[in-house]
Short mmCIF file of all heavy atoms in Angstrom, two decimals:
data_model
loop_
_atom_site.label_atom_id
_atom_site.label_comp_id
_atom_site.label_asym_id
_atom_site.label_seq_id
_atom_site.Cartn_x
_atom_site.Cartn_y
_atom_site.Cartn_z
N THR A 1 -57.43 111.07 -128.74
CA THR A 1 -58.37 111.51 -129.71
C THR A 1 -57.81 112.43 -130.86
O THR A 1 -58.09 112.21 -132.05
CB THR A 1 -59.46 112.32 -129.04
OG1 THR A 1 -60.08 111.47 -127.93
CG2 THR A 1 -60.59 112.73 -129.99
N TRP A 2 -56.92 113.38 -130.47
CA TRP A 2 -56.33 114.27 -131.47
C TRP A 2 -55.65 113.48 -132.53
O TRP A 2 -55.85 113.64 -133.76
CB TRP A 2 -55.43 115.25 -130.89
CG TRP A 2 -55.99 116.38 -130.07
CD1 TRP A 2 -55.86 116.59 -128.72
CD2 TRP A 2 -56.80 117.46 -130.54
NE1 TRP A 2 -56.52 117.68 -128.30
CE2 TRP A 2 -57.16 118.31 -129.48
CE3 TRP A 2 -57.30 117.85 -131.79
CZ2 TRP A 2 -57.90 119.43 -129.52
CZ3 TRP A 2 -58.10 118.99 -131.92
CH2 TRP A 2 -58.45 119.76 -130.82
N ARG A 3 -54.67 112.63 -132.09
CA ARG A 3 -53.88 111.84 -133.04
C ARG A 3 -54.76 110.89 -133.90
O ARG A 3 -54.52 110.67 -135.10
CB ARG A 3 -52.85 111.07 -132.28
CG ARG A 3 -51.83 110.42 -133.20
CD ARG A 3 -50.79 109.82 -132.40
NE ARG A 3 -50.06 108.74 -133.15
CZ ARG A 3 -49.37 107.66 -132.70
NH1 ARG A 3 -49.41 107.50 -131.36
NH2 ARG A 3 -48.74 106.85 -133.48
N LEU A 4 -55.79 110.32 -133.30
CA LEU A 4 -56.62 109.36 -133.94
C LEU A 4 -57.38 110.10 -135.07
O LEU A 4 -57.41 109.63 -136.24
CB LEU A 4 -57.54 108.71 -132.98
CG LEU A 4 -58.56 107.71 -133.60
CD1 LEU A 4 -58.74 106.48 -132.74
CD2 LEU A 4 -59.94 108.31 -133.92
N ALA A 5 -57.94 111.25 -134.81
CA ALA A 5 -58.69 111.98 -135.75
C ALA A 5 -57.78 112.43 -136.90
O ALA A 5 -58.23 112.40 -138.08
CB ALA A 5 -59.37 113.19 -135.10
N GLU A 6 -56.61 112.84 -136.62
CA GLU A 6 -55.66 113.27 -137.69
C GLU A 6 -55.15 112.07 -138.45
O GLU A 6 -54.93 112.22 -139.66
CB GLU A 6 -54.54 114.09 -137.04
CG GLU A 6 -54.99 115.43 -136.53
CD GLU A 6 -53.98 116.24 -135.81
OE1 GLU A 6 -52.97 115.64 -135.32
OE2 GLU A 6 -54.11 117.48 -135.75
N SER A 7 -55.14 110.95 -137.90
CA SER A 7 -54.83 109.76 -138.57
C SER A 7 -55.90 109.36 -139.57
O SER A 7 -55.69 108.79 -140.63
CB SER A 7 -54.51 108.52 -137.65
OG SER A 7 -53.34 108.81 -136.87
N MET A 8 -57.10 109.60 -139.18
CA MET A 8 -58.32 109.33 -140.06
C MET A 8 -58.12 110.25 -141.30
O MET A 8 -58.43 109.84 -142.36
CB MET A 8 -59.58 109.58 -139.30
CG MET A 8 -59.90 108.47 -138.24
SD MET A 8 -61.45 108.82 -137.42
CE MET A 8 -62.71 108.66 -138.77
N ILE A 9 -57.77 111.51 -141.10
CA ILE A 9 -57.63 112.44 -142.21
C ILE A 9 -56.55 111.94 -143.14
O ILE A 9 -56.73 112.01 -144.34
CB ILE A 9 -57.24 113.87 -141.70
CG1 ILE A 9 -58.38 114.44 -140.78
CG2 ILE A 9 -56.91 114.81 -142.85
CD1 ILE A 9 -59.73 114.52 -141.42
N LYS A 10 -55.44 111.43 -142.60
CA LYS A 10 -54.40 110.88 -143.47
C LYS A 10 -54.94 109.71 -144.24
O LYS A 10 -54.62 109.54 -145.40
CB LYS A 10 -53.22 110.43 -142.60
CG LYS A 10 -52.37 111.54 -141.96
CD LYS A 10 -51.25 111.05 -141.19
CE LYS A 10 -50.49 112.20 -140.42
NZ LYS A 10 -49.41 111.60 -139.60
N GLN A 11 -55.68 108.79 -143.56
CA GLN A 11 -56.18 107.60 -144.30
C GLN A 11 -57.15 108.00 -145.35
O GLN A 11 -57.29 107.29 -146.30
CB GLN A 11 -56.80 106.67 -143.17
CG GLN A 11 -57.29 105.32 -143.74
CD GLN A 11 -56.16 104.50 -144.25
OE1 GLN A 11 -55.04 104.59 -143.82
NE2 GLN A 11 -56.45 103.60 -145.22
N LEU A 12 -57.77 109.11 -145.22
CA LEU A 12 -58.67 109.61 -146.22
C LEU A 12 -57.97 110.27 -147.43
O LEU A 12 -58.55 110.59 -148.39
CB LEU A 12 -59.66 110.63 -145.64
CG LEU A 12 -60.79 110.15 -144.78
CD1 LEU A 12 -61.37 111.13 -143.89
CD2 LEU A 12 -61.85 109.45 -145.69
N GLY A 13 -56.63 110.32 -147.26
CA GLY A 13 -55.82 110.78 -148.37
C GLY A 13 -55.33 112.26 -148.27
O GLY A 13 -54.86 112.77 -149.30
N TYR A 14 -55.50 112.83 -147.14
CA TYR A 14 -55.07 114.26 -147.04
C TYR A 14 -54.04 114.50 -145.96
O TYR A 14 -53.90 113.67 -144.97
CB TYR A 14 -56.35 115.10 -146.64
CG TYR A 14 -57.48 115.03 -147.65
CD1 TYR A 14 -58.52 114.13 -147.40
CD2 TYR A 14 -57.48 115.73 -148.81
CE1 TYR A 14 -59.62 113.99 -148.30
CE2 TYR A 14 -58.48 115.59 -149.80
CZ TYR A 14 -59.55 114.70 -149.45
OH TYR A 14 -60.63 114.62 -150.37
N THR A 15 -53.24 115.57 -146.12
CA THR A 15 -52.31 115.93 -145.09
C THR A 15 -53.02 116.82 -144.07
O THR A 15 -53.69 117.80 -144.46
CB THR A 15 -51.16 116.79 -145.71
OG1 THR A 15 -50.42 115.96 -146.67
CG2 THR A 15 -50.22 117.24 -144.61
N PRO A 16 -53.00 116.33 -142.78
CA PRO A 16 -53.78 117.14 -141.81
C PRO A 16 -53.23 118.58 -141.65
O PRO A 16 -52.10 118.89 -141.83
CB PRO A 16 -53.49 116.37 -140.49
CG PRO A 16 -53.18 114.96 -140.94
CD PRO A 16 -52.41 115.12 -142.20
N LYS A 17 -54.21 119.48 -141.56
CA LYS A 17 -53.86 120.90 -141.36
C LYS A 17 -53.02 121.09 -140.14
O LYS A 17 -53.27 120.41 -139.09
CB LYS A 17 -55.22 121.65 -141.25
CG LYS A 17 -55.05 123.15 -141.04
CD LYS A 17 -56.49 123.84 -140.99
CE LYS A 17 -56.31 125.28 -140.78
NZ LYS A 17 -57.72 125.92 -140.58
N TYR A 18 -52.12 122.07 -140.22
CA TYR A 18 -51.24 122.27 -139.07
C TYR A 18 -52.04 122.76 -137.87
O TYR A 18 -53.00 123.53 -137.97
CB TYR A 18 -50.18 123.39 -139.35
CG TYR A 18 -49.40 123.81 -138.16
CD1 TYR A 18 -48.39 123.03 -137.65
CD2 TYR A 18 -49.73 124.99 -137.48
CE1 TYR A 18 -47.73 123.31 -136.50
CE2 TYR A 18 -48.95 125.33 -136.33
CZ TYR A 18 -48.06 124.53 -135.87
OH TYR A 18 -47.35 124.89 -134.70
N ARG A 19 -51.69 122.20 -136.69
CA ARG A 19 -52.38 122.61 -135.49
C ARG A 19 -51.35 122.64 -134.35
O ARG A 19 -50.53 121.75 -134.20
CB ARG A 19 -53.40 121.49 -135.12
CG ARG A 19 -54.14 121.69 -133.83
CD ARG A 19 -55.16 120.53 -133.54
NE ARG A 19 -54.50 119.31 -133.53
CZ ARG A 19 -53.97 118.76 -132.41
NH1 ARG A 19 -53.91 119.45 -131.30
NH2 ARG A 19 -53.36 117.60 -132.47
N GLU A 20 -51.40 123.77 -133.56
CA GLU A 20 -50.48 123.83 -132.45
C GLU A 20 -50.94 122.80 -131.38
O GLU A 20 -52.08 122.74 -131.08
CB GLU A 20 -50.57 125.22 -131.86
CG GLU A 20 -49.82 126.25 -132.73
CD GLU A 20 -49.69 127.60 -131.96
OE1 GLU A 20 -50.01 127.68 -130.82
OE2 GLU A 20 -49.31 128.59 -132.68
N MET A 21 -49.96 122.10 -130.82
CA MET A 21 -50.32 121.10 -129.79
C MET A 21 -50.86 121.84 -128.52
O MET A 21 -50.40 122.88 -128.18
CB MET A 21 -49.02 120.34 -129.36
CG MET A 21 -48.43 119.52 -130.54
SD MET A 21 -49.46 118.13 -131.07
CE MET A 21 -50.14 118.79 -132.55
N THR A 22 -51.84 121.19 -127.87
CA THR A 22 -52.44 121.73 -126.66
C THR A 22 -51.49 121.51 -125.51
O THR A 22 -50.60 120.65 -125.55
CB THR A 22 -53.78 121.11 -126.42
OG1 THR A 22 -53.59 119.71 -126.15
CG2 THR A 22 -54.71 121.27 -127.56
N ASP A 23 -51.75 122.22 -124.46
CA ASP A 23 -50.95 122.03 -123.20
C ASP A 23 -51.04 120.59 -122.67
O ASP A 23 -50.12 120.04 -122.11
CB ASP A 23 -51.34 123.01 -122.14
CG ASP A 23 -52.77 122.95 -121.66
OD1 ASP A 23 -53.58 122.28 -122.30
OD2 ASP A 23 -53.06 123.62 -120.62
N GLU A 24 -52.22 119.98 -122.90
CA GLU A 24 -52.45 118.65 -122.47
C GLU A 24 -51.68 117.66 -123.21
O GLU A 24 -51.04 116.71 -122.70
CB GLU A 24 -53.95 118.29 -122.60
CG GLU A 24 -54.38 116.94 -122.09
CD GLU A 24 -55.88 116.65 -122.25
OE1 GLU A 24 -56.26 116.29 -123.41
OE2 GLU A 24 -56.66 116.90 -121.31
N GLU A 25 -51.55 117.81 -124.54
CA GLU A 25 -50.78 116.95 -125.42
C GLU A 25 -49.27 117.06 -125.08
O GLU A 25 -48.55 116.06 -125.06
CB GLU A 25 -50.92 117.36 -126.91
CG GLU A 25 -52.33 116.96 -127.39
CD GLU A 25 -52.52 117.44 -128.83
OE1 GLU A 25 -52.79 118.66 -128.98
OE2 GLU A 25 -52.47 116.64 -129.79
N ASN A 26 -48.86 118.28 -124.72
CA ASN A 26 -47.43 118.46 -124.34
C ASN A 26 -47.14 117.78 -123.06
O ASN A 26 -46.11 117.15 -122.88
CB ASN A 26 -47.13 119.97 -124.26
CG ASN A 26 -47.01 120.63 -125.63
OD1 ASN A 26 -46.72 119.96 -126.63
ND2 ASN A 26 -47.32 121.94 -125.68
N ALA A 27 -48.16 117.83 -122.08
CA ALA A 27 -47.93 117.13 -120.83
C ALA A 27 -47.86 115.60 -121.11
O ALA A 27 -47.05 114.91 -120.51
CB ALA A 27 -49.04 117.48 -119.87
N VAL A 28 -48.70 115.12 -121.99
CA VAL A 28 -48.73 113.71 -122.26
C VAL A 28 -47.38 113.29 -122.89
O VAL A 28 -46.86 112.17 -122.55
CB VAL A 28 -49.91 113.37 -123.24
CG1 VAL A 28 -49.71 111.95 -123.81
CG2 VAL A 28 -51.21 113.36 -122.54
N LYS A 29 -46.77 114.08 -123.79
CA LYS A 29 -45.48 113.74 -124.32
C LYS A 29 -44.39 113.66 -123.21
O LYS A 29 -43.60 112.79 -123.23
CB LYS A 29 -45.04 114.93 -125.31
CG LYS A 29 -45.72 114.78 -126.64
CD LYS A 29 -45.11 115.78 -127.62
CE LYS A 29 -45.74 115.60 -129.02
NZ LYS A 29 -45.08 116.53 -129.97
N ILE A 30 -44.45 114.63 -122.24
CA ILE A 30 -43.44 114.64 -121.20
C ILE A 30 -43.64 113.36 -120.33
O ILE A 30 -42.66 112.71 -120.04
CB ILE A 30 -43.60 115.86 -120.39
CG1 ILE A 30 -43.10 117.13 -121.18
CG2 ILE A 30 -42.85 115.80 -119.05
CD1 ILE A 30 -43.52 118.37 -120.51
N LEU A 31 -44.82 113.03 -120.07
CA LEU A 31 -45.14 111.82 -119.26
C LEU A 31 -44.67 110.56 -120.03
O LEU A 31 -44.23 109.55 -119.39
CB LEU A 31 -46.57 111.69 -118.88
CG LEU A 31 -47.09 112.64 -117.82
CD1 LEU A 31 -48.55 112.79 -117.78
CD2 LEU A 31 -46.57 112.25 -116.41
N GLY A 32 -44.81 110.57 -121.28
CA GLY A 32 -44.44 109.44 -122.12
C GLY A 32 -42.95 109.22 -122.07
O GLY A 32 -42.38 108.09 -121.99
N VAL A 33 -42.21 110.40 -122.10
CA VAL A 33 -40.77 110.33 -122.01
C VAL A 33 -40.30 109.85 -120.62
O VAL A 33 -39.38 109.07 -120.47
CB VAL A 33 -40.10 111.69 -122.28
CG1 VAL A 33 -38.62 111.75 -121.97
CG2 VAL A 33 -40.27 112.02 -123.83
N TYR A 34 -41.03 110.32 -119.61
CA TYR A 34 -40.74 109.83 -118.24
C TYR A 34 -40.87 108.32 -118.09
O TYR A 34 -40.07 107.63 -117.52
CB TYR A 34 -41.70 110.59 -117.26
CG TYR A 34 -41.64 110.01 -115.87
CD1 TYR A 34 -40.57 110.16 -115.03
CD2 TYR A 34 -42.71 109.18 -115.44
CE1 TYR A 34 -40.54 109.53 -113.78
CE2 TYR A 34 -42.68 108.58 -114.22
CZ TYR A 34 -41.62 108.79 -113.34
OH TYR A 34 -41.52 108.15 -112.10
N LYS A 35 -42.01 107.85 -118.68
CA LYS A 35 -42.25 106.37 -118.60
C LYS A 35 -41.17 105.54 -119.31
O LYS A 35 -40.80 104.49 -118.82
CB LYS A 35 -43.62 106.02 -119.24
CG LYS A 35 -44.76 106.67 -118.56
CD LYS A 35 -45.18 105.85 -117.28
CE LYS A 35 -46.44 106.41 -116.65
NZ LYS A 35 -46.80 105.68 -115.44
N THR A 36 -40.64 106.06 -120.46
CA THR A 36 -39.68 105.31 -121.24
C THR A 36 -38.23 105.54 -121.01
O THR A 36 -37.36 104.71 -121.12
CB THR A 36 -39.98 105.42 -122.74
OG1 THR A 36 -39.98 106.84 -123.06
CG2 THR A 36 -41.41 104.92 -123.06
N ASN A 37 -37.95 106.89 -120.63
CA ASN A 37 -36.57 107.27 -120.52
C ASN A 37 -36.16 107.85 -119.19
O ASN A 37 -35.02 108.28 -118.90
CB ASN A 37 -36.24 108.35 -121.64
CG ASN A 37 -36.43 107.73 -122.98
OD1 ASN A 37 -37.35 108.19 -123.68
ND2 ASN A 37 -35.63 106.89 -123.40
N GLY A 38 -37.12 107.97 -118.25
CA GLY A 38 -36.80 108.41 -116.85
C GLY A 38 -37.01 109.91 -116.65
O GLY A 38 -37.32 110.69 -117.55
N LYS A 39 -36.87 110.25 -115.37
CA LYS A 39 -37.17 111.62 -114.85
C LYS A 39 -36.28 112.69 -115.47
O LYS A 39 -36.79 113.71 -115.82
CB LYS A 39 -37.06 111.57 -113.32
CG LYS A 39 -37.42 112.93 -112.73
CD LYS A 39 -37.39 112.79 -111.18
CE LYS A 39 -37.70 114.15 -110.46
NZ LYS A 39 -37.53 113.99 -109.01
N GLN A 40 -34.98 112.39 -115.61
CA GLN A 40 -34.05 113.42 -116.11
C GLN A 40 -34.40 113.86 -117.53
O GLN A 40 -34.46 115.01 -117.88
CB GLN A 40 -32.62 112.97 -116.02
CG GLN A 40 -31.59 114.02 -116.39
CD GLN A 40 -31.73 115.30 -115.57
OE1 GLN A 40 -31.96 115.23 -114.34
NE2 GLN A 40 -31.55 116.39 -116.19
N LYS A 41 -34.70 112.85 -118.46
CA LYS A 41 -35.01 113.10 -119.78
C LYS A 41 -36.34 113.89 -119.91
O LYS A 41 -36.47 114.80 -120.67
CB LYS A 41 -35.12 111.83 -120.59
CG LYS A 41 -33.77 111.15 -120.83
CD LYS A 41 -32.88 112.02 -121.73
CE LYS A 41 -31.60 111.22 -122.05
NZ LYS A 41 -30.70 112.12 -122.89
N ALA A 42 -37.30 113.57 -118.97
CA ALA A 42 -38.55 114.33 -118.96
C ALA A 42 -38.31 115.72 -118.52
O ALA A 42 -38.95 116.64 -119.14
CB ALA A 42 -39.49 113.65 -117.98
N LYS A 43 -37.47 115.95 -117.61
CA LYS A 43 -37.21 117.34 -117.17
C LYS A 43 -36.50 118.10 -118.26
O LYS A 43 -36.76 119.35 -118.51
CB LYS A 43 -36.27 117.32 -115.91
CG LYS A 43 -37.05 116.84 -114.71
CD LYS A 43 -36.11 116.70 -113.51
CE LYS A 43 -35.64 117.94 -112.95
NZ LYS A 43 -34.86 117.76 -111.66
N GLU A 44 -35.67 117.42 -119.04
CA GLU A 44 -34.99 118.18 -120.15
C GLU A 44 -35.97 118.53 -121.24
O GLU A 44 -35.91 119.66 -121.72
CB GLU A 44 -33.86 117.26 -120.69
CG GLU A 44 -32.65 117.02 -119.83
CD GLU A 44 -31.75 115.93 -120.36
OE1 GLU A 44 -31.92 115.44 -121.50
OE2 GLU A 44 -30.82 115.58 -119.66
N MET A 45 -36.91 117.67 -121.53
CA MET A 45 -37.93 117.93 -122.49
C MET A 45 -38.79 119.09 -121.99
O MET A 45 -39.19 119.99 -122.77
CB MET A 45 -38.76 116.78 -122.79
CG MET A 45 -39.99 117.06 -123.70
SD MET A 45 -41.00 115.58 -124.08
CE MET A 45 -40.15 115.08 -125.54
N MET A 46 -39.16 119.03 -120.75
CA MET A 46 -39.97 120.07 -120.12
C MET A 46 -39.37 121.46 -120.20
O MET A 46 -39.97 122.47 -120.57
CB MET A 46 -40.24 119.75 -118.67
CG MET A 46 -41.18 120.61 -117.99
SD MET A 46 -41.50 119.99 -116.22
CE MET A 46 -42.45 118.57 -116.53
N GLU A 47 -38.03 121.49 -119.94
CA GLU A 47 -37.38 122.81 -119.94
C GLU A 47 -37.29 123.35 -121.41
O GLU A 47 -37.47 124.56 -121.61
CB GLU A 47 -35.93 122.64 -119.40
CG GLU A 47 -35.19 124.02 -119.37
CD GLU A 47 -34.00 124.05 -118.37
OE1 GLU A 47 -33.65 122.92 -117.83
OE2 GLU A 47 -33.42 125.08 -118.21
N THR A 48 -37.03 122.43 -122.35
CA THR A 48 -37.02 122.84 -123.70
C THR A 48 -38.32 123.40 -124.20
O THR A 48 -38.45 124.46 -124.80
CB THR A 48 -36.72 121.60 -124.65
OG1 THR A 48 -35.35 121.12 -124.31
CG2 THR A 48 -36.71 122.03 -126.12
#
């Protein structure tokens, strides 16, 4: 939802206002890295 709504703002011709990523979005990023690059890369991202 977050990314879709911000993509709509871009399509409307505007640069989306800066927003700090939520803890849920950060977890989704880590899980995405786990799915594509494995457990070790996910742990590295998590520690960072």
Side-chain angles (χ1 to χ4, degrees):
T1 305
W2 287 114
R3 186 176 163 207
L4 180 139
E6 289 173 340
S7 295
M8 289 179 66
I9 298 300
K10 288 180 184 178
Q11 186 63 28
L12 284 163
Y14 302 99
T15 300
K17 181 179 177 180
Y18 172 76
R19 176 180 61 83
E20 289 187 7
M21 297 294 101
T22 64
D23 63 345
E24 185 181 80
E25 289 174 283
N26 289 332
V28 166
K29 282 188 176 182
I30 290 167
L31 286 164
V33 168
Y34 168 72
K35 294 282 186 182
T36 55
N37 301 109
K39 184 178 178 180
Q40 185 56 39
K41 289 294 183 182
K43 290 173 73 173
E44 290 171 9
M45 172 178 271
M46 186 178 287
E47 183 160 8
T48 298

